[in-house]
Amino acid sequence: MIEVKNLVKKYGDFEAVRDVSFTVEKGKIYGFLGPNGAGKSTTMNIITGCLAATSGQVTINGYDIYEDPIEAKACIGYLPELPPLYTDMTPEEYLEFVGRAKGLKGEKLYRAVDLVIDKTALQDVKNRLIKNLSKGYKQRVGIAQAILGDPEVIILDEPTVGLDPLQIIEIRELIKELGKEHTVILSSHILAEISAVCDHVIIISHGKIVASETLENLTTLYEGKSYIDMEVRGDGETAEKLALSVPGVAEAEWEPLEAGVHMRLTMDGRKDVREDIFFRFAERRMPIVAMNYEEVTLEKVFLELTGDTKNASGSGDTLLSTEEIFGISTAAETADPAAEETAAEKTEAVPAGDTTEHDNGTDGEYKPLFGGK
Amino acid sequence: MSAIYRRELRSYFCGMTGVIFIAFLLLMTGIYMTVYNLNGGYPNFEYALSGVIFIFLIAVPVLTMRSLAEEKHARTDQLLYALPVSLTEVVMAKYLAMVTVYAVPIGVMCFYPLILSLYGTVTLGSAYGSILAFFLLGCALIAICMFVSSLTESQVIAAVISVAVLLLTYLMSGIAGLIPSTAGASLAGFLVITVLIGLIVNVMTKNTPVAIGVTVLLALAVTVLYFVNSTMFEGLLPDLLTGLALFDRFQSFINGIFDVTAIVYYITVIALFVYLTVQSLEKKRWS
């Protein structure tokens, strides 16, 4: 459907997109996830032909976006970051214009326009000037424009920005519905949004793809892991044996400290075995001076992959396997009650205010929406 | 293409721009016609046209300033890039829409010689020839100003630069007259132009060695040419500058000459600047 090969985009010396490659299959919803400035919009702009890549190739349905731009663009409906609206028109006129430019005519055009007005619930405002519409309605006109004429691929850059919670749910439903017949690519810096609608997640950071997995893969693995970080007075070998003797502890690593050892235990499941560990060590009179329980959440995976860690800034691998992603040790943090929620629960619990956030600051300062830090 | 053309045309008439442009042009030609033809009693409508020609300096930038600058400003250019339409079609549609707006007052003007002919003998040939040349001159200026508009995101900057460029072409023959026509003066002028080209190359490529190389090469070429054949340089710069004086070409039509070279000249200017506009938009994608 869409094939992106070795895409590179440089702005002067700055590399916005570095060697990005992926394929998009028909009839799936793909989520582009990454912090602000990760290169999501740039990649999307290149795919849709709005921007030329420094090097690399994009083919849509077999048409190269540079060689046969007209044929390739005819397969795409695109909603850029800022909806490209002519504010001196009404939504109806605007959609008719876009429809005509997409090559629709006569009865077919009016039917297509009516259909998208219906789908995006614009009936009430279709005769008002776009400049007088609220941001949410403008966003919806933008979405209507993208899905007009039933393009095979629909690319939406942050489609729910500026919408109220009810509209967000509506638009997500709409995207899910579109995903049944179309290929949809949407970008977001909001994890919950991606996990709510997407089949496949592509995590992008610093212009590189750091993970490309189906959502099931990500969530299955995410459910089964947790860690304990602790400091123990005593020697490492004994501590390791002791820890491993506790049921539920799969692995134990240790490193010596000035006094005692620092240990990192990997759990089998999500069972909290802190009490067992405490008593086991107490029996041997090895005092535990600090202990942190920590779960790997999708959120943490995301933070880890997109943060300024050694993995995210690119050790050479463009694509990490799921195993690697989940093998990455997360920074020591205190146990977080919010992390107990399942992914599904989290999806429902998105605060509306957060989804309207435009700028979360730089990559390093990314603020998770729920729990996390 | 027709969709964009229709939208452009619609926006000119839904907003004030188109209407004001037409009204202004008609008002000014009306005043000049009243003064020259009705009060003065001249049967030649072309005199009124020759008097009114300076209003292009204001009217054309008003018409063209928002054409591409506003698209970029409102980010609607992304839609145009993403639609299955080529950039040439986009630019052509926009250009034709502006020409259509401009054609309205020209269409009205076509009645003036007929009105005058009711009261005496009017050489309709030279009147309509002048109107055609007036139309083409306007079209050429619109093409130039559209190109200027494609260079910037701000309508105001587009308008100011457009006025400056039009003023320069308007005064060009006067400026050319100021330059001494000796070969040495031409050489000096060309060396200055060479340095300017070098500066532009430096700004556009951000590659100083290349810019210096280009400048030195051009300067060398000009100097060598000068020493090989210095007679060629006599009056060359003023001649070249006169070549850029778009407005002056119109004069021969007023004198009753249907100057085909001027027609070809205007059409060339139109083609060149439409092409440059397409390239300017294309470059935007590659930046």
Side-chain angles (χ1 to χ4, degrees):
Chain A
M1 195 78 214
I2 297 183
E3 245 190 288
V4 177
K5 268 190 219 151
N6 306 99
L7 216 58
V8 176
K9 177 70 189 176
K10 286 183 190 170
Y11 293 109
D13 290 333
F14 173 70
E15 276 189 312
V17 174
R18 308 187 227 176
D19 201 26
V20 163
S21 306
F22 60 91
T23 40
V24 169
E25 287 158 36
K26 208 180 163 120
K28 276 192 181 177
I29 304 178
Y30 285 76
F32 245 59
L33 185 61
N36 301 82
K40 300 182 300 266
S41 294
T42 309
T43 312
M44 290 186 146
N45 274 336
I46 293 172
I47 295 174
T48 51
C50 293
L51 204 65
T54 310
S55 68
Q57 199 187 20
V58 178
T59 47
I60 292 138
N61 260 353
Y63 297 112
D64 191 292
I65 193 79
Y66 305 115
E67 310 280 322
D68 316 289
I70 307 288
E71 289 86 350
K73 284 174 189 173
C75 310
I76 299 180
Y78 179 42
L79 168 72
E81 215 169 354
L82 288 169
L85 306 174
Y86 290 106
T87 48
D88 56 350
M89 300 172 105
T90 68
E92 197 171 24
E93 287 166 342
Y94 172 73
L95 292 172
E96 277 168 18
F97 156 65
V98 175
R100 269 193 210 104
K102 284 184 176 180
L104 298 171
K105 278 190 199 101
E107 188 58 30
K108 222 175 158 188
L109 169 71
Y110 297 110
R111 244 186 296 135
V113 169
D114 283 345
L115 189 73
V116 292
I117 285 180
D118 227 38
K119 273 190 178 169
T120 47
L122 285 167
Q123 294 93 336
D124 299 341
V125 297
K126 69 177 181 184
N127 292 322
R128 276 164 56 182
L129 283 182
I130 292 179
K131 67 176 143 205
N132 298 331
L133 297 183
S134 69
K135 184 155 172 30
Y137 273 119
K138 281 183 187 161
Q139 189 71 20
R140 285 204 250 176
V141 177
I143 295 173
Q145 162 273 122
I147 65 178
L148 183 67
D150 247 0
E152 288 170 64
V153 187
I154 295 166
I155 299 182
L156 307 169
D157 198 350
E158 313 214 338
T160 53
V161 164
L163 301 181
D164 65 44
L166 195 67
Q167 289 171 334
I168 289 179
I169 293 169
E170 279 171 17
I171 292 300
R172 280 186 193 160
E173 289 304 317
L174 175 66
I175 293 170
K176 273 187 196 164
E177 197 194 311
L178 289 169
K180 286 174 192 158
E181 289 157 37
H182 306 80
T183 309
V184 183
I185 305 178
L186 69 123
S187 81
S188 179
H189 57 268
I190 300 156
L191 192 65
E193 180 151 305
I194 298 285
S195 53
V197 290
C198 296
D199 304 315
H200 194 108
V201 184
I202 296 170
I203 300 181
I204 186 164
S205 168
H206 297 274
K208 279 186 155 184
I209 292 183
V210 286
S212 174
E213 281 293 339
T214 60
L215 192 67
E216 291 105 62
N217 266 0
L218 282 179
T219 34
T220 329
L221 279 147
Y222 132 74
E223 296 226 331
K225 290 254 177 169
S226 55
Y227 296 99
I228 289 175
D229 262 305
M230 58 186 210
E231 262 177 56
V232 186
R233 298 269 183 267
D235 85 301
E237 310 249 334
T238 338
E240 186 181 336
K241 273 184 207 147
L242 260 182
L244 286 175
S245 69
V246 177
V249 179
E251 277 172 52
E253 286 166 34
W254 61 274
E255 52 184 15
L257 296 174
E258 273 176 40
V261 285
H262 171 253
M263 296 195 77
R264 184 167 178 82
L265 311 178
T266 311
M267 304 299 122
D268 255 346
R270 305 180 74 197
K271 199 174 154 234
D272 188 354
V273 291
R274 277 179 291 184
E275 287 176 24
D276 298 347
I277 291 172
F278 171 78
F279 287 122
R280 189 61 57 94
F281 278 76
E283 279 168 23
R284 287 290 192 94
R285 303 198 58 77
M286 286 180 79
I288 297 172
V289 290
M291 180 145 69
N292 273 339
Y293 177 74
E294 176 192 313
E295 250 185 309
V296 173
T297 60
L298 212 50
E299 184 73 49
K300 278 185 185 151
V301 172
F302 173 60
L303 279 176
E304 193 62 40
L305 288 170
T306 56
D308 277 316
T309 64
K310 58 179 168 36
N311 297 292
S313 55
S315 52
D317 302 331
T318 45
L319 212 71
L320 299 173
S321 73
T322 326
E323 251 60 50
E324 280 175 288
I325 298 164
F326 289 91
I328 293 164
S329 58
T330 47
E333 284 165 18
T334 46
D336 188 340
E340 307 276 342
E341 293 171 20
T342 65
E345 279 164 2
K346 284 174 182 182
T347 314
E348 303 300 322
V350 201
D354 285 338
T355 49
T356 53
E357 261 178 33
H358 289 279
D359 201 338
N360 276 330
T362 55
D363 302 350
E365 295 165 7
Y366 179 81
K367 288 188 201 73
L369 300 175
F370 29 86
K373 274 183 189 168
Chain B
M1 181 171 151
S2 74
I4 298 171
Y5 172 76
R6 283 167 73 170
R7 200 213 77 77
E8 284 294 310
L9 211 53
R10 193 192 152 281
S11 88
Y12 278 117
F13 288 109
C14 277
M16 298 285 279
T17 326
V19 181
I20 287 180
F21 175 81
I22 292 169
F24 183 60
L25 222 59
L26 284 178
L27 174 73
M28 294 308 280
T29 36
I31 291 172
Y32 273 81
M33 185 198 155
T34 313
V35 172
Y36 282 137
N37 303 126
L38 301 185
N39 292 351
Y42 288 106
N44 306 47
F45 178 60
E46 50 268 36
Y47 291 171
L49 285 182
S50 111
V52 87
I53 207 165
F54 74 93
I55 62 157
F56 278 135
L57 296 181
I58 306 152
V60 170
V62 168
L63 183 71
T64 58
M65 62 182 189
R66 56 166 282 287
S67 63
L68 289 154
E70 182 57 24
E71 296 272 357
K72 258 184 272 177
H73 183 72
R75 298 294 198 101
T76 41
D77 56 338
Q78 290 219 323
L79 177 70
L80 299 178
Y81 285 127
L83 284 173
V85 188
S86 76
L87 281 181
T88 316
E89 283 178 286
V90 171
V91 172
M92 281 307 289
K94 282 180 167 286
Y95 181 66
L96 288 179
M98 286 188 279
V99 167
T100 310
V101 175
Y102 173 52
V104 173
I106 295 290
V108 176
M109 280 178 211
C110 284
F111 291 104
Y112 294 174
L114 290 179
I115 295 170
L116 293 179
S117 70
L118 293 178
Y119 305 101
T121 329
V122 174
T123 40
L124 288 178
S126 83
Y128 284 111
S130 300
I131 290 178
L132 175 70
F134 189 77
F135 176 65
L136 285 176
L137 169 62
C139 290
L141 298 179
I142 290 173
I144 294 173
C145 294
M146 175 173 75
F147 172 65
V148 172
S149 174
S150 78
L151 298 175
T152 165
E153 265 186 39
S154 152
Q155 292 192 40
V156 178
I157 293 175
V160 170
I161 297 179
S162 296
V163 171
V165 169
L166 294 191
L167 194 64
L168 203 65
T169 60
Y170 186 71
L171 300 174
M172 194 54 93
S173 57
I175 294 172
L178 291 176
I179 298 170
S181 60
T182 60
S186 282
L187 176 68
F190 279 117
L191 289 179
V192 170
I193 292 172
T194 308
V195 172
L196 284 180
I197 291 174
L199 283 176
I200 292 170
V201 169
N202 192 22
V203 168
M204 283 179 71
T205 61
K206 296 187 179 71
N207 190 338
T208 318
V210 168
I212 291 173
V214 167
T215 317
V216 170
L217 264 178
L218 277 174
L220 267 179
V222 170
T223 323
V224 167
L225 264 177
Y226 175 74
F227 283 112
V228 170
N229 185 358
S230 66
T231 47
M232 195 183 84
F233 275 76
E234 269 172 34
L236 187 57
L237 189 60
D239 285 353
L240 266 183
L241 291 182
T242 319
L244 299 176
L246 275 101
F247 289 87
D248 290 14
R249 305 257 165 175
F250 182 59
Q251 289 305 323
S252 46
F253 289 90
I254 294 158
N255 299 329
I257 303 161
F258 191 84
D259 186 357
V260 180
T261 56
I263 303 279
V264 174
Y265 176 81
Y266 286 144
I267 291 172
T268 314
V269 170
I270 293 168
L272 176 70
F273 279 94
V274 168
Y275 173 78
L276 284 178
T277 311
V278 175
Q279 295 311 308
S280 153
L281 290 187
E282 197 71 57
K283 187 196 162 273
K284 183 89 183 159
R285 276 205 324 174
W286 289 89
S287 64

